[in-house]
Amino acid sequence: SQQGEEDPQALSIQEGENATMNCSYKTSINNLQWYRQNSGRGLVHLILIRSNEREKHSGRLRVTLDTSKKSSSLLITASRAADTASYFCAPYNNNDMRFGAGTRLTVKP
Amino acid sequence: GAVVSQHPSWVICKSGTSVKIECRSLDFQATTMFWYRQFPKQSLMLMATSNEGSKATYEQGVEKDKFLINHASLTLSTLTVTSAHPEDSSFYICSASPPTGGLGYTFGSGTRLTVV
């Protein structure tokens, strides 16, 4: 399946620090998407990186993709307390998109 | 931007009753919608893929007679939990494929179902 697996499961940092989350998957993809979920809420799309892209930026977010290693990383720079949430990667291929367990990020003020 | 409205946001029902959850794409047409189930502190589990005008495709282990999905129009998909049991209590989230040229899927805000 296209399920992504995030690492670490939980991450706790101080405000202002950078947070890096990793994602691995097992099959080929068209693209890989990162989502954020606040507790008990729906998911918010953060960024999409296509299979032919290696790096993408959006504001304080930086995503990398290594298709040879079937891995991706999400970097949040200059973190804020409001960034506290769960982050999920979703490898996507042919209308099939599944989520891993996510990384629970806690940013302490 | 693309918005998906999911209703209700929470519902409490008695065992044996049925509950319908609606997922609407408000400003775009969604040919494909997905239904997920999420247990506390766990990931989203894909239950089924719903295509407008055709039968939903259910994932292995998901009872299609229990979780009825209808996608009768390009802006509305519904999930009906039939003969609900306490173990059906969960957080249900829908998402819609992006409109043409859009990136990323849009998710509803979820429905917290509690069966008592």
Side-chain angles (χ1 to χ4, degrees):
Chain A
S1 71
Q2 292 296 339
Q3 184 172 351
E5 296 180 6
E6 294 88 350
D7 173 66
Q9 292 184 350
L11 181 61
S12 181
I13 59 175
Q14 293 294 135
E15 206 166 27
E17 295 179 340
N18 295 341
T20 300
M21 290 160 268
N22 302 297
C23 170
S24 60
Y25 57 94
K26 294 181 179 171
T27 60
S28 61
I29 60 171
N30 296 129
N31 63 63
L32 187 142
Q33 305 175 31
W34 283 90
Y35 288 83
R36 164 198 170 122
Q37 183 183 33
N38 288 77
S39 181
R41 305 292 295 277
L43 273 72
V44 174
H45 176 254
L46 294 177
I47 195 166
L48 179 153
I49 186 165
R50 301 187 190 282
S51 60
N52 62 352
E53 297 177 312
R54 292 296 167 259
E55 187 172 314
K56 203 161 185 178
H57 297 256
S58 177
R60 294 185 295 112
L61 304 180
R62 172 176 168 257
V63 169
T64 63
L65 178 65
D66 187 335
T67 53
S68 66
K69 295 181 179 178
K70 291 186 168 53
S71 67
S72 174
S73 68
L74 171 67
L75 169 67
I76 303 175
T77 60
S79 64
R80 305 167 182 169
D83 295 330
T84 295
S86 291
Y87 293 81
F88 297 90
C89 72
Y92 174 90
N93 186 37
N94 294 333
N95 228 15
D96 187 322
M97 183 171 71
R98 298 158 198 258
F99 296 82
T103 294
R104 175 67 189 172
L105 173 65
T106 302
V107 182
K108 300 176 182 177
Chain B
V3 177
V4 169
S5 173
Q6 187 171 341
H7 177 81
S9 56
W10 61 270
V11 57
I12 301 173
C13 70
K14 292 184 178 181
S15 290
T17 61
S18 295
V19 174
K20 179 184 284 187
I21 302 170
E22 294 187 347
C23 183
R24 293 180 183 272
S25 56
L26 295 186
D27 49 4
F28 67 103
Q29 293 182 332
T31 54
T32 303
M33 289 187 174
F34 302 88
W35 287 95
Y36 295 85
R37 179 175 181 174
Q38 185 179 33
F39 293 101
K41 298 184 179 180
Q42 295 189 30
S43 184
L44 286 77
M45 181 191 77
L46 179 64
M47 298 175 66
T49 302
S50 167
N51 294 298
E52 185 268 337
S54 63
K55 292 182 179 180
T57 302
Y58 289 82
E59 295 301 307
Q60 191 173 5
V62 178
E63 299 176 60
K64 60 182 179 182
D65 293 330
K66 181 168 188 59
F67 298 99
L68 300 179
I69 292 174
N70 184 285
H71 194 162
S73 77
L74 286 171
T75 59
L76 175 64
S77 177
T78 60
L79 168 67
T80 302
V81 183
T82 63
S83 187
H85 290 279
E87 55 264 31
D88 298 326
S89 298
S90 190
F91 192 58
Y92 294 87
I93 306 178
C94 68
S95 73
S97 53
T100 302
L103 297 177
Y105 282 65
T106 303
F107 283 76
S109 56
T111 297
R112 173 73 58 191
L113 171 63
T114 302
V115 184
V116 298

